[in-house]
Amino acid sequence: MALSVPGHWIWDFWLAQQGEEWHIFFLRAPRTILDPELRHINATIGHARSTDLRTWEVLPDPFGLGDEGEWDDAALWTGSCVWSGEQWWMFYTAVSTTDDAKIQRIGAATSTDLRTWDKVAENPLCTADPRWYETYDPNAWYEEAWRDPHVFPDPEGSGFHMFITARTNEGLPDRRGVIGHATSNDLLTWEVRPPVARPDMFGHLEVSQHLRIGNHHYVLFCVHRDWQPTVPLAEKWTGTGYLMADVLEGPYVPGPTPFLVADRRGTSYAGKIVEIDGELLFLATRHETLDGEYIGSISDPVRIVVGEDGSIAPVHPWTPT
């Protein structure tokens, strides 16, 4: 039973576990705008909870847009949650009317219960550094990409990492997509670092997730068929891919198989993996029907298997439900 919200399209999502409950945060936009392509500039963040990742109770939104003129007054985009000390932090992307929503920035809100959130006063906390990353240049790209922060603790116990949808400041404009990187000791002050992955293949690598499976570090990402200039037309797929590395900071390179879940139509997108009782489970946005109609809901989980070569794939052929 997929997660859906009556009257809304929902898409990119992130998860947080507290006790026996899973909380899911997702982008949402009203279907009254009629054109799903307009959902991005009408996006806010929704919230639901579950004990099994299948049956969901929709909860009030965590917070809304900023006041007119603030950095997050136009739209709210994808983020992630991380626990630190005695509270949760939600990092999220936002765009502003002050620059016609062309420049993406990352900020945060905090909560003790995953329900009531307060935006931090220091927002925005992290922006693109032109030493390594492309800033707004309409001759190269239509926006300044700095979004989808995936924040997670350093496995060695020293601070936090943020992986980011970004673009490098060099190379052919249609293949500058990279996984950006920043680090912090306190979640407020961030030091931007060089990319951890720069495959020179895509315009964007969206909605990344870092995870470690066995001896390998993985970065999940999603990519649309229109952002793959190096791939022959017959092989352009839309969905969730993955990169692999031996160490957390990379460099990450394509895995043994190009995608975890994808197809030529793009029936799923922006997938995430969670571990429950030793099993790896995969959820994704139900993106398009085979006829190309936008769906806008989130799938039930399916189990993931890991091959001896490190490849990851659903245990059964993927059919988003």
Side-chain angles (χ1 to χ4, degrees):
M1 181 164 46
L3 171 60
S4 60
V5 176
H8 285 74
W9 290 296
I10 65 175
W11 62 104
D12 296 2
F13 61 93
W14 54 103
L15 294 147
Q17 186 179 20
Q18 188 168 54
E20 296 183 354
E21 285 189 341
W22 285 93
H23 289 250
I24 189 169
F25 300 92
F26 48 84
L27 301 190
R28 63 187 292 173
R31 292 177 182 262
T32 53
I33 62 176
L34 301 180
D35 182 357
E37 290 302 309
L38 298 177
R39 70 189 189 277
H40 303 291
I41 198 57
N42 289 277
T44 55
I45 298 172
H47 183 195
R49 67 175 181 174
S50 173
T51 57
D52 61 5
L53 296 177
R54 295 177 181 275
T55 304
W56 296 95
E57 175 191 2
V58 177
L59 300 173
D61 293 355
F63 48 82
L65 296 172
D67 293 333
E68 184 177 355
E70 293 188 345
W71 75 284
D72 59 353
D73 71 341
L76 308 179
W77 292 346
T78 311
S80 61
C81 291
V82 64
W83 175 262
S84 176
E86 299 181 351
Q87 63 184 359
W88 287 95
W89 290 69
M90 184 194 298
F91 290 84
Y92 66 99
T93 312
V95 289
S96 174
T97 58
T98 59
D99 48 46
D100 198 26
K102 298 296 186 183
I103 298 176
Q104 299 158 15
R105 302 174 178 89
I106 294 168
T110 60
S111 173
T112 57
D113 60 4
L114 291 170
R115 291 172 174 266
T116 302
W117 293 86
D118 296 307
K119 297 178 183 179
V120 303
E122 294 85 350
N123 280 338
L125 302 180
C126 190
T127 57
D129 187 326
R131 287 181 294 173
W132 300 292
Y133 299 101
E134 178 187 274
T135 54
Y136 183 55
D137 178 1
N139 294 317
W141 203 249
Y142 58 91
E143 63 186 2
E144 180 177 314
W146 194 256
R147 65 180 183 274
D148 309 338
H150 174 63
V151 177
F152 57 97
D154 187 284
E156 304 301 322
S158 177
F160 297 86
H161 296 268
M162 181 189 293
F163 283 4
I164 305 157
T165 293
R167 286 170 49 86
T168 184
N169 59 9
E170 59 185 3
L172 296 175
D174 62 356
R175 60 196 71 182
R176 291 186 181 182
V178 297
I179 301 295
H181 185 207
T183 58
S184 176
N185 290 322
D186 60 6
L187 294 172
L188 274 176
T189 304
W190 289 89
E191 179 183 354
V192 177
R193 297 177 178 271
V196 295
R198 45 190 310 162
D200 193 30
M201 296 173 62
F202 309 116
H204 279 161
L205 291 83
E206 293 194 297
V207 193
S208 69
Q209 178 193 14
H210 168 271
L211 65 157
R212 184 171 182 174
I213 305 174
N215 294 323
H216 299 297
H217 291 267
Y218 292 79
V219 170
L220 269 58
F221 68 94
C222 56
V223 64
H224 192 276
R225 55 187 173 269
D226 293 341
W227 299 338
Q228 304 174 51
T230 65
V231 180
L233 180 62
E235 300 174 16
K236 291 181 184 288
W237 285 15
T238 294
T240 301
Y242 66 99
L243 307 171
M244 296 175 62
D246 294 328
V247 296
L248 185 150
E249 297 191 12
Y252 289 82
V253 298
T257 53
F259 286 96
L260 193 163
V261 167
D263 54 41
R264 289 176 183 160
R265 181 67 259 174
T267 57
S268 64
Y269 205 64
K272 297 288 179 68
I273 291 177
V274 297
E275 183 176 352
I276 300 179
D277 297 330
E279 283 195 337
L280 297 174
L281 301 176
F282 177 79
L283 302 84
T285 299
R286 300 176 70 231
H287 194 61
E288 296 182 12
T289 67
L290 294 177
D291 295 327
E293 180 181 355
Y294 190 75
I295 301 171
S297 63
I298 296 170
S299 74
D300 285 343
V302 297
R303 189 161 65 89
I304 292 295
V305 293
V306 183
E308 292 184 0
D309 58 358
S311 60
I312 50 178
V315 67
H316 300 298
W318 173 254
T319 53
T321 56

